[in-house]
Amino acid sequence: VAKLVGNAVIGQSGGPTCVINQSLVGVIEAAKKSKEIKKLLGARHAIKGMLKEDFIDLFKEPAGVLEKVAQTPSSALGSVRMKPGREDCLKVFDVLRKNDVRYFFYIGGNDSAETTFIVSQTAREANYDLRCFHIPKTIDNDLKVTDHCPGFGSAARFVASAFIGDNLDNRSLPGVKINIVMGRHAGFLTAASILARRYDDDGPHLVYVPEAVFDDDKFIADVKAVNAKFGRCIIAASEGIHYADGKTVAEKMAEGAERDSHGNVQLSGSGALGDYLAELVKRGYQGQKIRVRADTFGYLQRSFPGFYSETDAREARKVGRDAVKFATKGDADGSVAIKRVSNKPYKVETFVTPLATVAKETSGLPAKYLAPSGNDIDKSFRDYVLPLVGKLPVAERLKGW
Amino acid sequence: VAKLVGNAVIGQSGGPTCVINQSLVGVIEAAKKSKEIKKLLGARHAIKGMLKEDFIDLFKEPAGVLEKVAQTPSSALGSVRMKPGREDCLKVFDVLRKNDVRYFFYIGGNDSAETTFIVSQTAREANYDLRCFHIPKTIDNDLKVTDHCPGFGSAARFVASAFIGDNLDNRSLPGVKINIVMGRHAGFLTAASILARRYDDDGPHLVYVPEAVFDDDKFIADVKAVNAKFGRCIIAASEGIHYADGKTVAEKMAEGAERDSHGNVQLSGSGALGDYLAELVKRGYQGQKIRVRADTFGYLQRSFPGFYSETDAREARKVGRDAVKFATKGDADGSVAIKRVSNKPYKVETFVTPLATVAKETSGLPAKYLAPSGNDIDKSFRDYVLPLVGKLPVAERLKGW
């Protein structure tokens, strides 16, 4: 492999996570040590900063600051939700060439993988040597190929912990409680709520994910059945739950809902879905007195500080470092993926997968994790998710109750 | 003082907190060591359990279990939102007498203090020797007399941390973000959001509490001014914000809102207020493209596990222990209150205040903490709240940005 020597650029794109800066710092550390990368330019707000040559010299950042930044949630370089078109890519490309950039690193989800793919193709067409690497990040855990995505474990730890606390809250003051969890198409994060179960009567008692079909009447019947059994009911529902016709509950509710530049409807940052489900429950009890509450966990899931999964943080750092290693030592563009070598003890390896394999399409919860009832997650999912989440907070009942 | 020897009963009432079980365990530990208390009965769901003689023998709980229960959020004995009437009190009283109960401990907020007060009066009228103690607990921090309330510090730590994360999230993906914080009449918890500020442009940029008057037009103008200055805006608003006529925004919005047994309107467990404020902002920009999101932190604030304030946990344990000490060594009923002896270094003492001084009425943020603008909290509030919250999670910016 002929050595490619020059500068590098890095951007962080899409929704933040609690460990996305671990990956950034991983790249900085490895790039600093490499002989191939002379200078590492951090693009503010990702592709937007690349278009404007809005760069930070990341080799100038003191190690002490970087260690703290790594532990800080949300994209330290700023993020963007922008899908560059052909023209943008050509403009970016001019900037890269002008700055003697030979390495392009992009941290993000599948949309970011697609951007990386487009930049890679543009460089190839121009016959310009540019090594492009996508570094996986998404709390949705919906990237193809990889066993799981950095960022997911910490968000799952937040969600599982939130349900541990809410289960205790609900046991103390019984009622019907609905919690809306992030997840447009993939139910991984919502499914992580089952980690809160320890005793038979622990919630969540019902779990609705986008991989199953949602039905208003079935939902009401489910809640009434659980409530009749336990005198209370905790529900985990993904923001992207949908009806048999494919329309999301949120879409049917909200006429003319906002769409982002990737064509996605706004699902987060509103309590409307939870409030709608609460209304359904009240309707089901037809005027009988029933305590129903709905919380939407919202952005806390992706940026709550000081509560990350240690495993997730370590792996996020590793995929950053390994991206530099794969880019400088190999001769192909790609995305860093994780392979679970063994589960007990938990052990992973990283490898390179072609950009096209992770761009555009995403994957959801495998069918084996969906309970046939359509309102629950199979307990085998625990084995998948627990190593990513790590040790959960203490929660103990009195022996007498 | 003539020694009062017999059994004791304890209940946990009202909304849970992250450290309410520290107080429970404090009572159990001290009661076990006392010579006056023979048996400690834990009433399931507080007054409801007392009415039904639904008791747990708390001296039978192993020390190892108790230490874990202490660290567990939400009321381990179960809670209730029920204001006992005269008839209920007489019934409870019969149960206490039958079980040779001489000590009555009730952990909760001002409604619980009132219940304790009524039980105390009933016993006095019946000429029955019963020592009644209220043990303070509320995330609202709205009890009179005491410097602050156990439960508040941990909830404030959650809120401040949430704003630290959300500020970083919003800096990364700019827009207008509204966060609704618990607090019906008292703005302490919402005010704790200012701990998230470190740099001049850090949010929350606007803070609305029930102690100030809210106005829709003023709010829109405030948001536009901040957004013009920083290109983003984070807002902290209490669920109980109200208009000049005294009506809460939530009340005006929701016709026929639910009321609990204390006559309070349901404000939590719904995203409606946040969504309404988001609508106001959009209205203010009259069709211009603006990214507005609203999150309602909800029950996470009071029961998220593994994230309590160490100071809060220690003090919650202490007020439990001291309640037993004051009850068994003194000759008056009362509520345990905290006095801040010094702030640097932070040091507190406990003392007994008569039940009547904390029952019924509550107190809000002192006027000195309210910014004259009506949309902010004076920075002197930091000195009051920081010792209660303790060390906040790491959050660092890159030097270059």
Side-chain angles (χ1 to χ4, degrees), chain B residues 191-260:
Chain B
S193 65
I194 69 163
L195 291 178
R197 294 177 186 159
R198 186 170 153 202
Y199 296 96
D200 281 350
D201 62 330
D202 278 341
H205 307 99
L206 298 167
V207 184
Y208 300 97
V209 292
E211 289 83 355
V213 166
F214 187 83
D215 178 271
D216 286 3
D217 295 331
K218 170 92 167 45
F219 170 70
I220 293 170
D222 287 349
V223 173
K224 290 178 90 163
V226 170
N227 205 25
K229 187 173 175 189
F230 295 122
R232 65 191 190 96
C233 181
I234 297 187
I235 298 135
S238 300
E239 55 188 7
I241 50 169
H242 64 84
Y243 296 113
D245 66 2
K247 270 207 179 147
T248 64
V249 179
E251 273 172 333
K252 272 223 172 140
M253 267 168 45
E255 293 287 340
E258 251 183 76
R259 282 172 191 274
D260 67 18

Side-chain angles (χ1 to χ4, degrees), chain A residues 80-215:
Chain A
V80 74
R81 289 204 182 274
M82 178 188 166
K83 194 170 173 170
R86 168 122 193 108
E87 210 168 310
D88 294 324
C89 276
L90 291 174
K91 229 186 270 177
V92 163
F93 194 62
D94 283 343
V95 171
L96 300 186
R97 197 196 290 256
K98 184 178 150 197
N99 285 280
D100 189 27
V101 169
R102 293 295 175 174
Y103 294 94
F104 178 96
F105 298 105
Y106 217 52
I107 309 173
N110 68 304
D111 285 329
S112 306
E114 200 184 342
T115 298
T116 313
F117 185 54
I118 297 169
V119 171
S120 163
Q121 283 184 312
T122 314
R124 186 163 304 190
E125 283 165 22
N127 225 350
Y128 178 78
D129 271 345
L130 181 70
R131 187 68 65 244
C132 298
F133 261 82
H134 167 251
I135 298 163
K137 168 268 5 165
T138 165
I139 64 164
D140 290 331
N141 202 39
D142 62 352
L143 291 181
K144 281 185 172 279
V145 185
T146 190
D147 175 77
H148 60 277
C149 306
F152 168 66
S154 295
R157 182 165 190 263
F158 184 92
V159 168
S161 302
F163 273 89
I164 287 174
D166 208 49
N167 175 59
L168 293 161
D169 194 312
N170 186 260
R171 186 172 184 252
S172 157
L173 285 171
V176 175
K177 178 75 194 297
I178 298 151
N179 291 322
I180 307 296
V181 180
M182 275 186 168
R184 196 178 293 275
H185 301 295
F188 288 100
L189 202 52
T190 306
S193 65
I194 70 164
L195 290 178
R197 294 178 186 158
R198 187 170 152 202
Y199 296 94
D200 280 351
D201 62 331
D202 278 342
H205 307 100
L206 298 167
V207 185
Y208 300 96
V209 292
E211 289 83 354
V213 166
F214 187 83
D215 179 88

Side-chain angles (χ1 to χ4, degrees), chain A residues 44 61 169 302 399 401, chain B residues 44 61 302 399 401:
Chain A
R44 290 211 308 171
E61 295 290 327
D169 194 312
R302 69 186 199 189
K399 282 270 173 210
W401 183 30
Chain B
R44 291 213 308 172
E61 295 290 327
R302 69 185 199 190
K399 281 270 174 210
W401 183 31

Side-chain angles (χ1 to χ4, degrees), chain B residues 101-117:
Chain B
V101 169
R102 293 293 174 175
Y103 294 93
F104 177 96
F105 297 105
Y106 216 53
I107 309 174
N110 68 303
D111 285 329
S112 306
E114 200 184 340
T115 297
T116 313
F117 185 54

Side-chain angles (χ1 to χ4, degrees), chain B residues 235-299:
Chain B
I235 298 135
S238 300
E239 55 188 7
I241 50 169
H242 64 84
Y243 296 113
D245 66 2
K247 270 207 179 147
T248 64
V249 179
E251 273 172 333
K252 272 223 172 140
M253 267 168 45
E255 293 287 340
E258 251 183 76
R259 282 172 191 274
D260 67 18
S261 71
H262 294 283
N264 301 319
V265 172
Q266 185 205 330
L267 296 179
S268 302
S270 158
L273 177 59
D275 289 351
Y276 175 73
L277 298 183
E279 273 310 305
L280 282 183
V281 173
K282 285 178 190 170
R283 203 185 298 166
Y285 280 90
Q286 295 181 341
Q288 284 172 62
K289 209 179 165 171
I290 176 99
R291 186 174 173 268
V292 190
R293 300 290 184 267
D295 276 336
T296 302
F297 290 165
Y299 288 6

Side-chain angles (χ1 to χ4, degrees), chain A residues 44-45 61 68 72 74 79 161 165 168-169 172 266 269 271 275 293-295 299 302-303 305 396 399-401, chain B residues 44-45 61 68 72 74 79 161 165 168-169 172 266 269 271 275 293-295 299 302-303 305 396 399-401:
Chain A
R44 290 211 308 171
H45 297 293
E61 295 290 327
K68 282 186 186 169
T72 302
S74 185
S79 187
S161 302
L168 293 161
D169 194 312
S172 157
Q266 184 206 330
D275 289 350
R293 300 289 184 268
D295 276 335
Y299 287 7
R302 69 186 199 189
S303 54
E396 189 68 70
K399 282 270 173 210
W401 183 30
Chain B
R44 291 213 308 172
H45 298 292
E61 295 290 327
K68 282 186 186 169
T72 302
S74 187
S79 187
S161 302
L168 294 161
D169 195 311
S172 157
Q266 185 205 330
D275 289 351
R293 300 290 184 267
D295 276 336
Y299 288 6
R302 69 185 199 190
S303 54
E396 189 69 69
K399 281 270 174 210
W401 183 31

Side-chain angles (χ1 to χ4, degrees), chain B residues 3 9 37 58 64 94 131 136 142-143 153 200 209 214 228 231 250 276 282 291 295 321 324-325 333 355 357:
Chain B
K3 259 195 188 176
V9 70
I37 298 171
L58 292 171
D94 282 342
R131 186 70 65 244
D142 62 353
L143 290 181
D200 281 350
V209 292
F214 187 83
Y276 175 73
K282 285 178 190 170
R291 186 174 173 268
D295 276 336
R321 284 183 189 142
V324 173
K325 193 183 75 185
D333 295 356
L355 289 167
T357 62

